[in-house]
Structure formats: structure tokens, C-alpha cells
Amino acid sequence: MADAAHVTRHGTRRRLRASPAALVLGGGGARAAYQVGVLKAIAALLRDARRGLDPGIVQGHNPFPILVGTSAGAINATALAAGAADFQDAVARIVRVWEGFHAAQVYRSDFFGVMRSGARWLSLLSLGWLLRRSLRTKPRSLLDNGPLRELLLREIDFSGIGDSLERGHLQALALGASSYTSGRHVTFYESLTEREIPDKYQRIFVRTRVNVEHLLASSAIPFVFPAVPLDLGAAHARGGREHFGDGAMRQLSPVSPALHLGAQRILAIGVGQAGNPGALPDSDAAAYPSLAQVAGHALSTIFLDAIVSDVERLEKMNLVAATMTEHERRATNLRQVEFLMISPSERLDAIASRHLGALPRPIRALLEGLGARKGSGAGLASYLLFESSFTRALVDLGYGDTMARRDEVMALLTEAPEEPHAPAASRVVVV
């Protein structure tokens, strides 16, 4: 448990903090390898800090009992939840998968697989009036992500989630998905107790047992991967069978599930560079945007903007709350939550531009047909570049960015027992 876990740092005996901490992982396809680099660094920081102590005191401690994920972040969050009994081992397993990735583990990348899904789908878009009667089975997406199902079932022991909850290593796991049927954003969560979480505009919470279908739904990038049917059933008053796609769509507040599930500290990992990075060096700013450039921009809007907007919203709420009395905070349902966000120090699409050649030839040809080449068109490819040369580069970047902020990370996760803790940064947020 957290109150029994101790670490050392800079010669000072420290302990892992007891207040519930949440890890919020956004989406972004192959870009989620950056999250893995951050996790790898956190595991290293905690492991190094524990040297010289009895390892039995802290063995396997999970610093993030509340896990929230969307899209590829949902996959990483679920892998952590299933292995929450041993955080170090869970991170090592995730790193092993991401550093050894090949596109064929996620989607059909062979010639016939691409022809069966991607080429037919594009042909239907352009010649649908001619082909609508000749195609008996209409393609549902650009790519077939059947291999991803096999990978998830092989690498994640879903029964471990319940075991982690029962043994106190985990408080809750939450995954976001967007319903094409109703237009609602649904947060599926697994916890020992059902929390009373009020529905908000086009947002509902459903308690369930998380399985592979939830991960496939949450990570179903629009147009690229097929929608997944999920049955809400009696779990919700307006339940029923609906088709779901990527949870990043219509996700107004990525941090909200963590707050509703009781988090008092939050670490969020983004996959988009903060600020205004401008155009890529190899791009022609005067050229008309290609389909790949437009698609990449649309996906960036879906995947990257929400979490940044949430951070800005938290900053504003902090300024507002600073002018309020404690009574006014209680009346408006405000509470203090420490918040730290780590995001890439480099443009991930720029890194992707250097690794386009690693994609299988059929996928590369398909994307090149859409205009995905070096330069601005590489944004689309960055979401599909599940190749080890690219994912390793992102893992290394995430690791380095986190190590550069090690003091902030350790302040969020640990405290010295002989000293009262003074938060480095606090945020006041509305639930």
C-alpha cells in the first residue's frame, strides 16, 4: 500500500504519497509510444530511488491506482491495470511490445490485406455509384485491425484487472469510446464499487468488466479502423447495442473521469507538442494541402486538442478559485487537485517523416496515394507507423523528456515523511 512504500532521493528518505493519483493517457495511434517512454522513465526513477532499502517494502507498488485511457492510451492503461500488482514488471512488458512493434501486429499490411480493405474502400468512395451493386461485402474501414485483437488477447490478462482491484493495487480503470449510434461519449469503467457519476451533455459513465472489445472500440481511429458494437444493456437507463469508435472523438474533458473516480493528483501524458510549432521543415507552405495533410490535421484535432484544452481550463479554474473563499469553493463543488502534464519536446510528425520508409510497401503505397510523403503529409502516417524504428524513437523521447522533469515527477509521486509536504503546483478543478 502507498503509506507503507518508501523511496530515497538525493540522500533523503522519502515515501510514496498516499492520496489517490491518476494517470491520464490520451490517444494517437502509434504516437502513444511516447507515453511508454514516460512510463519507462517513471519506473526507472522509482527503481533507482529505492536502492539501499529493503525491496520488500516497496516491491510492486503501483503509483497510479486510478488509470484513465483513450484510444491507444486505453490499451496502455489497461495493460498497466492488468499488471498493477507489479508496476515495474507491467511497464517492462509494455516497453517490450512497443519497442519491438511491426505494423502487421496491428493491422493487415500485406498486399492482399490492403487490397481487401483499403483499396476497395477508396474505390467505393470514388466509384460508389458504379460499384455499389457489384460489391457483396462493403469494406468498413481503410485498414483491417484483426491482428490487433490477437495481440491484445495474447499480451493482456484481463482477469488481472479484477485481481488488482480485489487486492487493493488498483482503484479504478476507465476507458473512453464514442458512439456512432447515439453521438454520446461513453466512459466505461471498472471498479469494486459503483460510483454515482451524473450524466452530462452527451457524456455518460457505464460500469462494466473491461474486455478486448472495449479496447478495440476505444482505439478505432475514424475511417481507418472499423467500428465495434458494444452492448450497454441494463448498465444504463438508455442502454442498448451501439457501434463505437475512437474515444478521442467528442471527448470534451479527458481529465474528468479521473476526477469523478476520486483522483487528488493527476499526471497526464499528451502526444502533441505544446505551443505553436509551425510548418514542418520539408513542407511547402504554399502548396495546396493533400488528402493526407487534411486527414492528419483532422486527426490531430481529435487526438491532441482536447487534453491541451483541459489543461488550459484547469489553469483558468485555478485562477478563479484563488479569488474564492473555502465556503464558496464548497458551494461550487471545487476541490484542489495537483496536476502535471508531460508532452513531447519535439514534433512527432517530424520524427515520423524520417521513418516513412519503415512502413510495409503496400501501406506506404496506399498512404503515398493520399499524399503522405516527407513534409506535412507525414502527420497521417505518424498515427499508423507501428514500426520499431519509429516507436523506439518516441520511447526514447518520452524517456528523455521525463528525466528532464524528474523533480516535478518525484514531487508529484513522493514526499519526505519527516517534512510536511508542500505541493509544487496545485490546480483547483470543477468535477
Side-chain angles (χ1 to χ4, degrees), residues 153-226:
L153 290 174
R154 183 171 64 251
E155 294 293 338
I156 299 178
D157 178 11
F158 289 90
S159 65
I161 301 172
D163 292 342
S164 295
L165 289 168
E166 291 286 349
R167 296 169 61 185
H169 300 297
L170 184 69
Q171 290 186 23
L173 167 67
L175 314 175
S178 182
S179 172
Y180 290 118
T181 307
S182 65
R184 299 178 296 192
H185 185 275
V186 180
T187 298
F188 297 95
Y189 73 98
E190 185 167 353
S191 67
L192 286 181
T193 58
E194 184 170 8
R195 292 173 173 266
E196 292 187 8
I197 304 176
D199 293 348
K200 296 194 175 183
Y201 177 72
Q202 293 294 304
R203 288 189 291 162
I204 64 173
F205 285 74
V206 174
R207 183 170 173 244
T208 187
R209 294 291 297 272
V210 171
N211 59 41
V212 68
E213 303 300 327
H214 295 100
L215 296 190
L216 291 172
S218 182
S219 60
I221 300 174
F223 299 111
V224 178
F225 296 141

Side-chain angles (χ1 to χ4, degrees), residues 94-428:
I94 297 171
V95 170
R96 174 181 57 79
V97 172
W98 280 90
E99 288 189 338
F101 247 136
H102 294 290
Q105 295 174 280
V106 180
Y107 50 79
R108 288 284 302 273
S109 59
D110 59 286
F111 176 77
F112 291 105
V114 173
M115 287 295 295
R116 184 178 179 181
S117 56
R120 293 178 70 197
W121 186 78
L122 291 174
S123 297
L124 188 63
L125 283 179
S126 59
L127 300 172
W129 59 276
L130 182 63
L131 300 176
R132 67 182 186 276
R133 294 182 180 179
S134 62
L135 289 178
R136 294 182 180 179
T137 304
K138 305 226 174 13
R140 297 182 174 183
S141 59
L142 185 66
L143 297 173
D144 175 3
N145 64 342
L148 178 59
R149 178 189 295 271
E150 300 175 11
L151 176 68
L152 295 176
L153 290 174
R154 183 171 64 251
E155 294 293 338
I156 299 178
D157 178 11
F158 289 90
S159 65
I161 301 172
D163 292 342
S164 295
L165 289 168
E166 291 286 349
R167 296 169 61 185
H169 300 297
L170 184 69
Q171 290 186 23
L173 167 67
L175 314 175
S178 182
S179 172
Y180 290 118
T181 307
S182 65
R184 299 178 296 192
H185 185 275
V186 180
T187 298
F188 297 95
Y189 73 98
E190 185 167 353
S191 67
L192 286 181
T193 58
E194 184 170 8
R195 292 173 173 266
E196 292 187 8
I197 304 176
D199 293 348
K200 296 194 175 183
Y201 177 72
Q202 293 294 304
R203 288 189 291 162
I204 64 173
F205 285 74
V206 174
R207 183 170 173 244
T208 187
R209 294 291 297 272
V210 171
N211 59 41
V212 68
E213 303 300 327
H214 295 100
L215 296 190
L216 291 172
S218 182
S219 60
I221 300 174
F223 299 111
V224 178
F225 296 141
V228 178
L230 294 174
D231 191 358
L232 299 182
H236 198 273
R238 293 176 292 175
R241 189 177 179 82
E242 301 182 5
H243 282 81
F244 287 85
D246 201 291
M249 295 186 292
R250 308 201 73 172
Q251 188 180 45
L252 301 178
S253 180
V255 176
S256 177
L259 300 176
H260 284 296
L261 293 170
Q264 296 181 26
R265 293 173 288 129
I266 295 176
L267 172 63
I269 307 176
V271 293
Q273 188 179 21
N276 182 18
L280 287 171
D282 295 332
S283 63
D284 183 357
Y288 191 83
S290 65
L291 286 176
Q293 186 176 353
V294 173
H297 181 73
L299 290 179
S300 294
T301 301
I302 293 172
F303 286 117
L304 311 182
D305 290 354
I307 195 166
V308 174
S309 298
D310 235 13
V311 171
E312 293 175 350
R313 177 172 173 267
L314 293 179
E315 294 288 354
K316 291 178 181 178
M317 292 305 301
N318 189 45
L319 293 175
V320 171
T323 65
M324 301 171 64
T325 65
E326 185 63 30
H327 174 74
E328 290 172 331
R329 291 182 184 179
R330 288 196 299 268
T332 53
N333 197 26
L334 293 175
R335 59 185 172 87
Q336 287 190 329
V337 175
E338 290 181 62
F339 188 91
L340 176 63
M341 179 174 177
I342 297 178
S343 57
S345 57
E346 299 179 29
R347 289 191 63 161
L348 302 192
D349 47 0
I351 298 175
S353 182
R354 302 194 292 268
H355 294 273
L356 291 178
L359 282 167
R361 186 180 298 274
I363 299 297
R364 195 164 66 246
L366 180 65
L367 293 178
E368 286 177 351
L370 296 173
R373 300 179 179 87
K374 282 189 175 182
S376 55
L380 174 60
S382 71
Y383 296 96
L384 303 176
L385 239 168
F386 291 94
E387 293 292 338
S388 59
S389 64
F390 178 63
T391 56
R392 281 177 178 269
L394 266 56
V395 169
D396 291 343
L397 179 63
Y399 186 92
D401 287 348
T402 306
M403 286 300 184
R405 303 180 66 182
R406 67 181 70 198
D407 289 342
E408 295 172 85
V409 173
M410 293 299 286
L412 185 75
L413 299 180
T414 69
E415 63 182 347
E418 67 274 11
E419 299 173 1
H421 177 71
S426 64
R427 304 288 185 265
V428 181

Side-chain angles (χ1 to χ4, degrees), residues 58-81:
V58 293
Q59 183 65 35
H61 175 70
N62 176 24
F64 303 106
I66 299 171
L67 294 165
V68 178
T70 301
S71 193
I75 294 175
N76 287 335
T78 302
L80 285 174

